[in-house]
């Protein structure tokens, strides 16, 4: 009886000039994701995107689909996770289009890649990097903390705002004992630094990365290598800062020289230090907040740009931790 009152409609959108492969996605995955999110039928036929279904979800789907068509016309790449994020952003904006943050776009030299924030949190983060000497980005995995920082560093080097890039990470085992690693010292620490190499190689041609590493325009090193140095005319990134000890963090921050930028990234939920060692990330959050020139940016699940399930996984872990904390508090009260 209830089904007879539903209004079924069809809406055709002009997609002329759009890159159809980009718009549809691999095996039509982008169109399938639109259909899944809004509970409608979506078909790309020639220069038309045909939406059909009930009136209310169709009305919400139309502006999102139109935005995707415009992105495909501009050859701006997107995938299934971007479709889901865009739909969520439209909902947060009350049905209006989310901000594009054109002024924060980074065109990477030597590639055709454009890096731009995909959420309001990421936009705030990139803007903070542009405006402050020290930025501390805190948030869960997949929010683009390291990737965006490396993009900003490559851009600064290309524009000659700095003379070198220095990428550092604490060499701390992530919850498992790796045992003896063969090779010289550099070969032993390279596994810890691999994610930084990956980000860099995604943004610069391989031969240019190799030359920059050889002439030390770009340096990738364990945090311990920073001791005793003064880092001037440099864009310095400390990644996985939750695994820096308090002493290491103080040492790192006092390396800052003239005309240098520092970005520190970390995830407070993934501390791999022994319980006896305090996390330097937690300490700087406590004692450096409010200092002019130092900006803290907090990213969350809404800024995750990996597979859409990553958001759900992060949310599930957070809920489980809250429940466990509540149980512990209740236990303490009853003891």
């Amino acid at each position: 009886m209830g089904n007879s009152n539903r209004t079924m409609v069809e809406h055709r959108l002009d997609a002329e000039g759009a890159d159809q492969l980009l718009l549809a996605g691999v095996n039509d995955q982008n169109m399938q994701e639109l259909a899944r999110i809004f509970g409608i039928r979506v078909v790309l036929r020639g220069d038309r995107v045909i939406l059909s279904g009930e009136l209310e979800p169709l009305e919400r789907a139309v502006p999102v689909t139109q935005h995707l068509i415009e992105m495909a016309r501009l050859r701006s790449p997107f995938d299934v996770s971007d479709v889901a994020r865009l739909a969520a952003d439209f909902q947060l904006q009350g049905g209006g289009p989310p901000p594009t943050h054109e002024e924060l776009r980074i065109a990477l030299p030597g590639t055709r890649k454009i890096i731009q924030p995909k959420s309001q949190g990421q936009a705030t983060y990139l803007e903070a990097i542009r405006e402050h000497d020290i930025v501390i980005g805190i948030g869960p995995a997949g929010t683009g903390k390291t990737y965006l920082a490396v993009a900003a560093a490559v851009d600064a080097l290309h524009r000659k705002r700095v003379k070198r890039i220095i990428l550092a990470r604490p060499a701390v085992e992530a919850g498992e004992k790796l045992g003896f690693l063969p090779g010289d010292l550099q070969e032993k620490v390279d596994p810890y630094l691999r994610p930084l190499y990956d980000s860099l190689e995604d943004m610069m041609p391989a031969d240019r990365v190799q030359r920059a590493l050889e002439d030390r325009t770009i340096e990738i090193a364990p945090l311990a290598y920073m001791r005793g140095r003064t880092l001037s005319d440099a864009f310095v990134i400390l990644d996985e800062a939750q695994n820096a000890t308090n002493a290491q963090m103080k040492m790192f921050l006092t390396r800052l020289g003239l005309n240098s930028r520092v970005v520190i990234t970390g995830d407070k939920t993934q501390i791999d230090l022994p319980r006896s060692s305090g996390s330097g990330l937690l300490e700087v959050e406590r004692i450096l907040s409010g200092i002019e020139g130092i900006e803290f940016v907090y990213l969350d699940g809404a800024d995750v740009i990996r597979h859409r399930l990553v958001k759900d996984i992060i949310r599930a872990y957070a809920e489980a931790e809250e429940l466990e904390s509540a149980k512990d508090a209740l236990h303490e009260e009853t003891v």
Side-chain angles (χ1 to χ4, degrees):
M1 186 77 177
N3 290 342
S4 62
N5 294 327
R6 291 178 179 174
T7 303
M8 305 298 289
V9 295
E10 181 178 281
H11 195 104
R12 294 170 178 256
L13 294 172
D14 180 15
E16 185 177 359
D19 183 323
Q20 294 206 0
L21 289 176
L22 179 59
L23 180 58
V26 179
N27 296 325
D28 283 338
Q29 287 183 351
N30 292 341
M31 299 296 97
Q32 292 172 17
E33 182 71 355
L34 269 175
R36 182 194 69 81
I37 292 169
F38 294 104
I40 60 174
R41 187 167 180 264
V42 182
V43 177
L44 177 58
R45 185 176 298 155
D47 287 337
R48 295 284 185 273
V49 178
I50 304 169
L51 311 178
S52 55
E54 296 179 32
L55 180 60
E56 190 274 330
L58 200 72
E59 287 179 337
R60 290 188 290 112
V62 166
V64 177
T65 309
Q66 189 65 62
H67 196 85
L68 293 173
I69 291 171
E70 291 302 321
M71 290 174 66
R73 283 184 175 133
L74 295 171
R75 306 297 191 270
S76 181
F78 58 90
D79 56 22
V80 173
S81 61
D82 294 318
V83 174
R85 183 166 48 253
L86 186 64
D89 287 345
F90 264 81
Q91 185 173 349
L92 286 173
Q93 296 293 323
T100 57
H101 307 297
E102 293 285 330
E103 74 284 1
L104 296 172
R105 293 179 65 176
I106 297 172
L108 295 172
T111 70
R112 295 183 176 181
K113 184 167 289 188
I114 301 290
I115 304 294
Q116 61 184 23
K118 294 187 174 182
S119 69
Q120 183 55 51
Q122 288 191 348
T124 301
Y125 181 51
L126 271 180
E127 193 168 12
I129 291 173
R130 176 181 291 182
E131 300 294 332
H132 295 83
D133 290 334
I134 298 178
V135 173
I136 302 170
I138 299 174
T143 50
K145 301 184 301 295
T146 305
Y147 194 81
L148 292 174
V150 172
V154 171
D155 185 56
L157 183 66
H158 174 65
R159 295 176 184 273
K160 301 190 183 326
R161 292 171 180 164
V162 295
K163 294 181 180 178
R164 54 183 173 156
I165 296 173
I166 299 173
L167 310 175
R169 255 190 172 206
V172 176
E173 294 171 349
E176 54 186 318
K177 298 298 180 183
L178 302 179
F180 174 77
L181 292 172
D184 60 23
L185 185 59
Q186 190 62 45
E187 290 172 325
K188 291 178 190 294
V189 300
D190 270 357
Y192 298 104
L193 306 174
R194 188 68 248 174
L196 294 174
Y197 284 102
D198 290 343
S199 294
L200 201 56
E201 290 169 358
D202 196 42
M203 297 179 192
M204 295 174 65
D207 59 334
R208 190 172 296 179
V209 172
Q210 189 58 41
R211 286 198 305 271
L213 290 170
E214 288 171 358
D215 66 19
R216 301 185 73 79
T217 304
I218 297 177
E219 181 180 349
I220 303 177
L223 176 58
Y225 283 23
M226 298 297 105
R227 190 174 299 280
R229 301 177 60 182
T230 300
L231 307 176
S232 300
D233 293 310
F235 197 118
V236 191
I237 299 172
L238 173 58
D239 192 33
E240 298 289 336
Q242 74 275 4
N243 289 328
T245 65
N246 294 334
Q248 285 177 327
M249 183 64 78
K250 181 181 178 182
M251 175 273 292
F252 174 78
L253 286 168
T254 54
R255 300 307 92 202
L256 182 64
L258 296 175
N259 190 40
S260 287
R261 292 286 174 114
V262 170
V263 178
I264 297 171
T265 72
D267 179 355
K268 294 190 290 185
T269 69
Q270 296 192 22
I271 297 174
D272 299 311
L273 290 167
R275 290 185 180 275
S276 57
S277 301
S279 168
L281 182 64
L282 300 184
E283 183 172 64
V284 296
E285 185 183 26
R286 180 174 58 84
I287 67 176
L288 298 186
S289 295
I291 294 180
E292 186 176 353
I294 300 178
E295 184 76 1
F296 285 81
V297 178
Y298 293 88
L299 301 164
D300 56 30
D303 304 303
V304 171
I305 58 171
R306 292 180 183 169
H307 192 287
R308 61 183 177 83
L309 286 176
V310 174
K311 287 186 181 182
D312 296 332
I313 292 168
I314 290 171
R315 188 181 304 113
Y317 270 99
E319 290 173 354
E321 288 170 4
E322 287 176 7
L323 182 61
E324 194 64 32
S325 297
K327 286 181 179 179
D328 290 344
L330 182 63
H331 178 70
E332 290 177 2
E333 288 177 4
T334 56
V335 172

